[in-house]
Amino acid sequence: MTVMKQRAIDMISRMPEEKLYYVVQLLEGVEGLLENRADGPETPEQRALKDLQRFRKRSDAEIDYKAELAKAREEKYAGIN
């Protein structure tokens, strides 16, 4: 066992029971960070995003978003005076 692990175990063993909840929460959070690393296992959400990106098509057409928005507003609010 490494010195760092031994220190952590000693600190946890001296800690009162009611404080252990926070330690467990912290460790679960750190463990979650390790799972989300690039080389770690993928979550279902990450796999779904990869699948969606695989089917995404690139478009060469330039879209003028401001003009599209103006046109949509004009159509929606044309009857309001």
Side-chain angles (χ1 to χ4, degrees):
M1 185 178 307
T2 65
V3 174
M4 191 62 74
K5 283 184 181 180
Q6 186 60 45
R7 282 182 56 200
I9 290 172
D10 290 341
M11 289 173 69
I12 291 172
S13 65
R14 291 189 312 258
M15 198 171 283
E17 190 74 26
E18 62 271 1
K19 304 276 183 173
L20 288 178
Y21 171 79
Y22 301 109
V23 173
V24 170
Q25 293 296 317
L26 178 69
L27 291 174
E28 285 175 346
V30 170
E31 189 175 49
L33 290 174
L34 294 176
E35 290 175 357
N36 290 335
R37 289 190 336 206
D39 59 342
E42 289 183 338
T43 64
E45 293 85 4
Q46 290 170 330
R47 284 193 299 273
L49 178 62
K50 277 188 178 178
D51 286 344
L52 286 174
Q53 288 176 337
R54 192 179 61 192
F55 293 112
R56 181 179 176 190
K57 293 182 182 179
R58 301 281 180 203
S59 175
D60 294 333
E62 287 292 321
I63 299 172
D64 185 5
Y65 292 104
K66 289 182 181 180
E68 291 287 326
L69 178 61
K71 180 181 172 186
R73 284 181 178 159
E74 209 173 289
E75 289 174 3
K76 183 173 183 177
Y77 300 114
I80 298 176
N81 288 326

